[in-house]
């Protein structure tokens, strides 16, 4: 295997974005595993890998990755929202509601507000 460089990691990251857009989340995870192994602090790569895990219905790995992102960026509204969707899909509605509400509080966009159900449900 050729030597990995920061440039090849950027190429892998961009290719993983395209694979996820093309509905190949497992291919995206495979590329991102290499990027994260070399740069474990890279939050963008972890967030993309979490999205890929979610798209592949690998809920536990998705949850863990979203949690790592939120440890580093507790004000990341998208990560809260995506973690909430992951928890919701895993039938953990009470936990999901907390993250939906945090996402809406951090960034009151319509999708987040609707999911937060501040109207009482």
């Amino acid at each position: 295997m050729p030597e990995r460089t920061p440039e090849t990691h950027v190429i892998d990251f961009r290719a993983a974005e395209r694979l996820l857009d093309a509905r190949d989340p497992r291919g995206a995870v495979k590329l991102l595993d290499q990027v994260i192994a070399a740069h474990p602090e890279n939050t963008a790569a972890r967030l993309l890998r979490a999205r890929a895990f979610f798209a592949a219905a690998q809920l536990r790995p998705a949850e863990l990755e979203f949690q790592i992102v939120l440890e580093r960026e507790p004000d990341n509204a998208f990560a809260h929202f995506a973690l909430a969707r992951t928890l919701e899909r895993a039938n953990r509605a009470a936990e999901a509601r907390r993250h939906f509400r945090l996402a809406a509080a951090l960034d009151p966009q319509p999708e987040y507000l609707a999911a937060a159900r501040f109207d009482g449900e």
Side-chain angles (χ1 to χ4, degrees), residues 11-70:
I11 292 167
D12 287 346
F13 179 87
R14 296 294 177 213
E17 288 179 317
R18 286 184 184 83
L19 286 171
L20 189 56
D21 289 343
R23 299 182 189 268
D24 182 3
R26 293 181 192 277
V29 167
K30 188 174 180 181
L31 286 175
L32 291 165
D33 285 346
Q34 296 175 26
V35 174
I36 291 169
H39 304 281
E41 74 291 346
N42 188 314
T43 304
R46 288 193 174 275
L47 186 58
L48 186 60
R49 186 165 70 170
R51 291 177 48 219
F53 279 137
F54 180 83
Q58 295 180 14
L59 300 182
R60 185 64 180 144
E63 177 185 350
L64 293 173
E65 285 294 332
F66 285 128
Q67 288 173 342
I68 290 169
V69 169
L70 288 170

Side-chain angles (χ1 to χ4, degrees), residues 40-118:
E41 74 291 346
N42 188 314
T43 304
R46 288 193 174 275
L47 186 58
L48 186 60
R49 186 165 70 170
R51 291 177 48 219
F53 279 137
F54 180 83
Q58 295 180 14
L59 300 182
R60 185 64 180 144
E63 177 185 350
L64 293 173
E65 285 294 332
F66 285 128
Q67 288 173 342
I68 290 169
V69 169
L70 288 170
E71 285 173 11
R72 296 173 183 180
E73 297 179 3
D75 60 344
N76 186 320
F78 175 79
H80 280 289
F81 182 77
L83 175 57
R85 285 282 185 233
T86 303
L87 294 168
E88 181 179 64
R89 199 166 167 189
N91 295 315
R92 294 162 56 193
E95 292 173 78
R97 186 174 306 111
R98 175 179 177 268
H99 288 283
F100 279 136
R101 289 181 175 188
L102 284 167
L106 290 165
D107 184 2
Q109 55 180 288
E111 184 179 18
Y112 296 177
L113 289 168
R117 292 176 256 175
F118 285 118

